[in-house]
Amino acid sequence: MIDLDFLTEQVKRLAFEIGAFLREQRQDFHADRVEQKRAHDYVSYVDKESERRIVARLHELLPEAGFMAEEGSGTKVSEKYWWVVDPLDGTTNFIHDNAPYCVSIALMDESEVLVGVVYECCRDELFWANKNSPAFLNGREIRVSDVNTLDQSLVLFGLPYDAEAYREFVVELLRRLYGNTCSLRGLGSAAAELCYVACGRYDAYVEGLIYPWDVAAGAIILKQAGGMITDNSGGMSWCSGKEVVATNGHVHSELLATVAKCSADKFL
């Protein structure tokens, strides 16, 4: 039996250290060493070095666990536990010296996320939770907002990199949300966006294409703060990638109903 509180503390320290490394690297960042993985989706030498450091430390911490990491440091095969790592969530923001960008680390087993830690570097904010604990921000317990209608909700809106496949869905969702919510925002970091819903700064977040390393840590933080996260159909396929709908729980059904009207079959 693993000690989730101990693991959470160790991952918190690691995320904070990697965040300090990211800020340090941002001071003397070389944009000519940025690579394009696919259209408008970038990776830098900073992502790769951060992931190398994270994976090495996590392997020491829990040698029996596998890895699912954005820059390719292993895949889940048959291990009972595995780490889900995004060493720099918000790479485009980082490249352009724009906030937010995060370190995101989660531990999962075959059925659920066990631990989640997100360090938002620009605001020096450390979010964390495990399945047996509340959610915290810099040591203070956090809860989702009490807003209970979509009309009053401040909604975060993600824009998938694959514009050709997702353009129709995004345009239709914007059409339905714009003017029918408090307002819309896009921050460019799924990990930060989930944590900002968890602490009540925003009321909902929706994105049409997402990956486990983007959302695993933020998902348990949101859940332990009283929120909800599903796929567009209200199911749990966000765990294996694709779309995500995350809310304070109070507006979840209303937002799902809006998403369902956006011809989801056009982007599956």
Side-chain angles (χ1 to χ4, degrees):
M1 189 72 175
I2 59 175
D3 186 335
L4 293 183
D5 291 331
F6 171 78
L7 288 174
T8 303
E9 288 302 312
Q10 296 303 308
V11 175
K12 284 164 55 181
R13 294 178 187 177
L14 174 58
F16 187 81
E17 291 172 16
I18 297 298
F21 170 73
L22 294 180
R23 286 196 302 271
E24 174 189 292
Q25 291 298 307
R26 180 54 256 180
Q27 299 305 310
D28 189 30
F29 182 69
H30 300 288
D32 58 341
R33 294 173 63 187
V34 173
E35 302 170 28
Q36 185 164 284
K37 295 189 285 188
R38 47 192 172 268
H40 310 123
D41 187 5
Y42 304 99
V43 62
S44 75
Y45 63 96
V46 180
D47 299 67
K48 293 180 178 180
E49 175 59 19
S50 298
E51 184 167 298
R52 186 194 67 77
R53 295 184 182 198
I54 292 169
V55 168
R57 289 277 294 279
L58 293 178
H59 183 68
E60 293 177 359
L61 186 60
L62 195 65
E64 64 268 34
F67 287 89
M68 185 187 301
E70 181 173 14
E71 307 312 330
S73 298
T75 56
K76 181 180 81 70
V77 185
S78 58
E79 293 88 350
K80 182 177 180 180
Y81 303 108
W82 66 96
W83 297 103
V84 186
V85 176
D86 194 335
L88 175 48
D89 184 61
T91 297
T92 300
N93 285 350
F94 179 86
I95 291 169
H96 293 274
D97 198 14
N98 190 28
Y101 51 86
C102 303
V103 181
S104 178
I105 303 172
L107 179 67
M108 298 185 70
D109 65 12
E110 298 96 330
S111 60
E112 62 183 336
V113 185
L114 303 175
V115 174
V117 175
V118 173
Y119 180 62
E120 201 286 279
C121 305
C122 304
R123 295 180 64 150
D124 189 26
E125 292 187 330
L126 188 65
F127 297 85
W128 74 89
N130 65 54
K131 77 167 192 173
N132 300 322
S133 80
F136 294 93
L137 163 56
N138 289 350
R140 175 178 58 86
E141 187 174 340
I142 55 175
R143 295 292 295 176
V144 294
S145 72
D146 294 325
V147 172
N148 58 17
T149 65
L150 196 57
D151 179 66
Q152 295 299 313
S153 296
L154 185 55
V155 178
L156 289 160
F157 192 90
L159 296 171
Y161 290 115
D162 191 346
E164 291 306 312
Y166 287 83
R167 182 175 284 110
E168 290 185 42
F169 170 74
V170 168
V171 170
E172 180 64 13
L173 187 58
L174 272 173
R175 187 183 73 79
R176 291 182 180 276
L177 292 177
Y178 181 52
N180 295 308
T181 62
C182 171
S183 193
L184 301 172
R185 297 288 186 272
L187 303 182
S189 166
E193 288 166 320
L194 287 167
C195 290
Y196 290 177
V197 176
C199 69
R201 291 175 187 160
Y202 294 83
D203 308 299
Y205 160 61
V206 58
E207 185 156 356
L209 175 65
I210 209 73
Y211 297 98
W213 46 80
D214 297 314
V215 298
I220 189 171
I221 293 167
L222 175 61
K223 179 182 176 184
Q224 298 304 105
M228 292 182 65
I229 180 169
T230 67
D231 58 28
N232 288 359
S233 301
M236 298 301 293
S237 74
W238 66 266
C239 294
S240 57
K242 202 172 268 191
E243 72 267 3
V244 63
V245 176
T247 73
N248 61 6
H250 307 298
V251 301
H252 205 86
S253 295
E254 191 177 359
L255 183 54
L256 281 178
T258 301
V259 170
K261 296 174 183 176
C262 295
S263 301
D265 58 317
K266 294 180 180 179
F267 67 96
L268 294 178

